[in-house]
Amino acid sequence: MKLTVICNAGILLEKDGFGLLIDGISRDHAGFSGLDDGQYADILQKNGIFSSCSALIFTHCHPDHYDAERVQAVQRELNTCRFFIPDRQTPASGTMQLGPFAVSYRETPHMIHNGDPVRHFVFLICDGERQLYIASDSLPDARIHREILCGVQPDAIFVNPVHLSTPDTKAWLLELAPKHTVVYHIPIDPADQTGMRRKAMRTAARDFHAPVTLVTEHPMDLGEI
């Protein structure tokens, strides 16, 4: 599968002419970069890298991952696409087949924050050859992730900087040792006033033996896994 990070938490997976977009329709929020107007227009018209977009799924509905107005417009315009948008009726776990991608979803607590409470899900995605784990904004609790993966060793994993620097989940990542660790959901502020980017870079360089990719620009083409 081919991976592109298109905005803050937006990930586009492509295989066999099928595009799966995860958390890809958001807006700028709290220092995180959302989908820009040009990208949004390309999604609506299925242009460029979005020409194969056939399914859109969301880990949760915070504005840095999901913009309701734009998603509703995409649902009207691309009415043949499949959508997974967590709400009160969504089962706590399940599976779905989206083109070549088998997607398992599981509800987890969202990490502690001051925003509105929402239901939060992680995804384990398999294309028949490779497996990808999207941890998103899940609570940095290694016990939860171990239980979900249940011995599965994904080829690639997407985590936010908190998972990289929290001792519990950092130890879990070092133990898991995926071929590709991607740290995304990093504030775009060039001055890095929160220090999140600098701390992630130091941790990656000091503690991780395998390469860690930090997503500091959008879009970022991550190639094939």
Side-chain angles (χ1 to χ4, degrees):
M1 66 179 89
K2 184 178 186 300
L3 282 69
T4 307
V5 181
I6 64 166
C7 57
N8 167 51
I11 306 166
L12 178 65
L13 311 183
E14 300 171 87
K15 183 170 182 176
D16 299 339
F18 189 101
L20 172 60
L21 185 57
I22 305 165
D23 287 351
I25 302 182
S26 61
R27 56 184 168 86
D28 290 357
H29 179 76
F32 298 102
S33 66
L35 192 73
D36 66 37
D37 290 342
Q39 291 173 314
Y40 175 55
D42 283 342
I43 290 175
L44 288 174
Q45 299 165 23
K46 297 190 78 168
N47 285 336
I49 64 171
F50 302 108
S51 60
S52 64
C53 188
S54 302
L56 298 89
I57 63 178
F58 296 87
T59 60
H60 62 297
C61 293
H62 278 156
D64 53 339
H65 294 251
Y66 170 88
D67 182 89
E69 183 178 357
R70 282 183 163 184
V71 170
Q72 289 164 9
V74 173
Q75 286 179 301
R76 291 192 299 268
E77 194 68 26
L78 305 182
N79 53 27
T80 61
C81 285
R82 297 274 303 279
F83 289 82
F84 175 87
I85 304 170
D87 61 21
R88 286 180 293 180
Q89 284 72 47
T90 304
S93 63
T95 60
M96 48 190 166
Q97 188 69 41
L98 302 173
F101 301 109
V103 181
S104 298
Y105 59 88
R106 171 81 174 268
E107 185 170 10
T108 69
H110 190 289
M111 66 174 52
I112 297 171
H113 70 111
N114 296 321
D116 295 331
V118 294
R119 297 190 70 189
H120 178 280
F121 289 79
V122 297
F123 297 129
L124 179 62
I125 302 170
C126 179
D127 69 353
E129 300 176 77
R130 302 285 186 268
Q131 299 197 82
L132 172 67
Y133 186 58
I134 309 290
S136 191
D137 287 348
S138 56
L139 187 71
D141 183 334
R143 178 190 57 82
I144 293 173
H145 296 299
R146 287 191 181 98
E147 179 186 336
I148 291 170
L149 290 174
C150 194
V152 171
Q153 185 168 5
D155 297 275
I157 184 167
F158 278 75
V159 295
N160 66 25
V162 177
H163 287 81
L164 196 70
S165 58
T166 301
D168 184 46
T169 43
K170 183 174 74 172
W172 163 66
L173 286 167
L174 289 167
E175 171 193 313
L176 192 65
K179 295 176 183 175
H180 306 276
T181 299
V182 181
V183 184
Y184 73 144
H185 205 331
I186 298 174
I188 58 172
D189 170 26
D192 191 26
Q193 295 182 21
T194 66
M196 192 176 292
R197 184 184 304 125
R198 291 192 299 275
K199 186 173 183 180
M201 291 176 68
R202 286 197 304 269
T203 302
R206 182 187 63 217
D207 299 332
F208 284 77
H209 304 297
V212 175
T213 300
L214 269 66
V215 179
T216 56
E217 59 183 40
H218 307 109
M220 180 178 281
D221 182 353
L222 301 181
E224 301 273 349
I225 67 162

